[in-house]
Amino acid sequence: MAVARINGKDFERMLKAGLIKIRKHESEINDMNVFPVPDGDTGTNLRLTLQNGILTTPSNENLGEYLGGIKKGTLLGARGNSGVILSQFFTGIADSLKDKSSAGVEDLFDSFVAAYKTAYGSVVNPVEGTVLTVARLGIENIRENLPSFSGSIDSMLSAYIAEMKNVLMTTPDLLPVLKESGVLDSGGAGYIYIARGILEGLLGHDGDFDISNLSISAKAPAQNLDADSFTRDSVFEEGYCTEFILQLMGGSQYDQNFNLDRFIETLKTFGNSIVAFRTDDRVKVHIHTLKPYRVVELAQRYGEFVTFKMENMQIQKDEHEFRVKKNVTERKHKKIAVVAVVNGEGIRGLYESFGCDIILDGGSTMNTSSQEFVDAFNQLDADNIIVLPNSKNIFFAAKQAIEISGRKNISILECADQIEGYYALAMGQVGTEDFDERFSLMKEGASGVDVLSLTFASKPYSQNNVSCEKGDCIAFLNGSLVASSQDLCATLSAAVKNISDLDSKYSCMIAVGKQADEKMTELVQKCIEDILPDVEINVVQGGQDVMHFMIGL
């Protein structure tokens, strides 16, 4: 089947198929991570970024208008480096096709060229051997073949995917860390899966590519709402969020002529935000309505409920507005405010004790999105804002958020981890309200600490002539693998020897992770005491996910 042109509805179907494809292979892409511990997994970040774009963009037959929504949704939902780059791909595609109601082969080809150029432009130091290379060479290597596609979009996409696969196989030759670890680039592999799904969506190989289950679950149900805010004097405008699974029944009391299109048309007269799809003899429905009984009556003409959930959205709205007003009231104007990303309740407490204004959660595989940073910036009333992303994998999402916000008073301190961020905050407590001086002091604090991270390898790995097997204790110094053995104390001792200015160290902070027990903690503390008897040691229950111990020296 040769497809000559596509519109917005076509592209929506294609993207949904791409999302389904990356979901199926998410774990596989995560496992391709070159590092031996999970840290901002690529497959998850790609999936969440694309998912946010699709779920926040309404259907639109006009291709340019639909892609404008995808551009915004992926930009705000971008997570991790791979997600940010993916959002930049879609930015390039959207900008290239913004004036097109539909697109043919040459239009789509040009948009893919614009995609990789936009992505390259968004990365300060583009590295070859990554998804950037895969996307760039994949499209450029088929440029000469463009006339041979005879106006067939599927032929062009097939050639594009085939060429990207060829380029992917060469990534270890371009990026030594890939060859050292014996893997291909995970971002490139994930992008190819999305492209394969897009082609399948174009051709309709797998049906309707329905993702309504994601749409319904994407918005978390209300938790711990204060129902006391809803009284006899409340104004009821928002209605009920109503969700159910309807089992179509075969009894004589039920109408046997269920038609999904007619059902949806009737639902439109009852409310909005409608999602309804049928799988075999079950129908999943989501609707916002002021009169849920009408929806119930309609549904029960055809069957009975397998599940049913209804929430008063007015209570949710009222509480949200209360919290916003409370935040605005409680947040006073400041000369300098700090936004930081941390993981672990104990570490969060340390940051709060140093007066960090907003703390965003940065879990092991759920990297903070650009949208979360933008929301945080909007809550602050400050002359200047300092951002501590505390992860190289979150830096670009923070940078992109600053660009989206359009604000010129936000600066990023490039802390590689939350221990560096902690020392930056500590150094910044000198009491000055001069921004340049405060930022300089915080930068000095971050750069003046060496961070040892201890955990256990989840897979074989090799870096800097240090190798490990699954289950070995491994130590990173400032992000680089420096020691490995089967013994915790031996690994730590070997790692400490890599610190060049060890004699100048006078204090040590040990942040204990969730996975570390009391015996392990005592062993690590004693080991450091034996190696550095004159160093003052402070042990805190950090509660971080991945690293058993994070040690600042």
Side-chain angles (χ1 to χ4, degrees), residues 332-346:
K332 299 177 181 178
H333 176 79
K334 299 185 70 173
K335 291 283 188 180
I336 303 170
V338 179
V339 176
V341 179
V342 305
N343 171 240
E345 287 303 311

Side-chain angles (χ1 to χ4, degrees), residues 503-524:
D503 293 340
S504 65
K505 304 295 184 181
Y506 59 88
S507 68
C508 168
M509 187 189 80
I510 304 174
V512 182
K514 282 183 180 178
Q515 303 177 76
D517 58 30
E518 186 176 348
K519 184 177 180 181
M520 292 169 63
T521 303
E522 291 175 354
L523 182 62
V524 166

Side-chain angles (χ1 to χ4, degrees), residues 93-167:
I93 292 171
D95 290 347
S96 177
L97 298 174
K98 64 181 179 180
D99 296 323
K100 302 282 187 180
S101 60
S102 64
V105 169
E106 292 188 2
D107 299 323
L108 210 57
F109 179 91
D110 291 342
S111 76
F112 289 151
V113 172
Y116 83 71
K117 288 184 176 180
T118 302
Y120 266 90
S122 71
V123 178
V124 177
N125 295 305
V127 176
E128 298 299 340
T130 66
V131 62
L132 294 171
T133 309
V134 172
R136 174 175 61 84
L137 293 181
I139 198 68
E140 292 294 352
N141 288 353
I142 67 169
R143 183 182 289 275
E144 294 182 359
N145 299 329
L146 196 56
S148 68
F149 299 138
S150 302
S152 170
I153 292 176
D154 42 306
S155 295
M156 190 267 284
L157 284 176
S158 296
Y160 178 42
I161 292 167
E163 194 56 41
M164 284 198 294
K165 288 180 180 178
N166 292 334
V167 176

Side-chain angles (χ1 to χ4, degrees), residues 461-518:
Y461 181 66
S462 179
Q463 183 188 53
N464 302 328
N465 297 317
V466 178
S467 299
C468 65
E469 297 297 326
K470 182 177 180 179
D472 284 352
C473 180
I474 51 178
F476 295 87
L477 176 59
N478 301 325
S480 296
L481 183 66
V482 294
S484 170
S485 75
Q486 295 183 351
D487 182 80
L488 179 61
C489 194
T491 303
L492 177 56
S493 299
V496 170
K497 293 176 182 177
N498 288 272
I499 300 176
S500 57
D501 57 344
L502 200 58
D503 293 340
S504 65
K505 304 295 184 181
Y506 59 88
S507 68
C508 168
M509 187 189 80
I510 304 174
V512 182
K514 282 183 180 178
Q515 303 177 76
D517 58 30
E518 186 176 348

Side-chain angles (χ1 to χ4, degrees), residues 246 248-264 266 278 281 283 298-299 301-303:
L246 180 71
L248 300 179
M249 306 296 288
S252 59
Q253 68 269 42
Y254 302 104
D255 188 336
Q256 301 302 305
N257 297 312
F258 179 84
N259 179 282
L260 183 61
D261 292 334
R262 288 200 303 268
F263 185 73
I264 292 173
T266 306
R278 177 176 177 173
D281 286 331
V283 183
L298 173 66
R301 292 181 195 173
Y302 304 99

Side-chain angles (χ1 to χ4, degrees), residues 3-15 57-71 90-112 153 198 202:
V3 180
R5 296 193 72 80
I6 57 172
N7 60 24
K9 290 284 185 69
D10 298 323
F11 208 90
E12 179 184 15
R13 185 178 70 252
M14 293 158 68
L15 285 186
T57 304
S59 298
N60 193 320
E61 195 162 325
N62 184 292
L63 179 61
E65 292 177 4
Y66 177 74
L67 285 171
I70 292 295
K71 170 184 173 179
F90 282 113
T91 295
I93 292 171
D95 290 347
S96 177
L97 298 174
K98 64 181 179 180
D99 296 323
K100 302 282 187 180
S101 60
S102 64
V105 169
E106 292 188 2
D107 299 323
L108 210 57
F109 179 91
D110 291 342
S111 76
F112 289 151
I153 292 176
I198 285 173
L202 176 69

Side-chain angles (χ1 to χ4, degrees), residues 295-346:
V295 179
V296 172
E297 286 180 344
L298 173 66
Q300 286 190 303
R301 292 181 195 173
Y302 304 99
E304 300 297 342
F305 302 108
V306 177
T307 62
F308 190 96
K309 179 172 70 70
M310 185 173 68
E311 293 173 346
N312 184 327
M313 294 189 298
Q314 191 66 48
I315 297 176
Q316 298 177 41
K317 181 184 178 184
D318 291 348
E319 180 162 302
H320 172 72
E321 291 179 348
F322 171 76
R323 287 175 177 171
V324 170
K325 290 177 181 177
K326 183 179 179 182
N327 283 335
V328 171
T329 302
E330 290 183 351
R331 295 192 189 282
K332 299 177 181 178
H333 176 79
K334 299 185 70 173
K335 291 283 188 180
I336 303 170
V338 179
V339 176
V341 179
V342 305
N343 171 240
E345 287 303 311

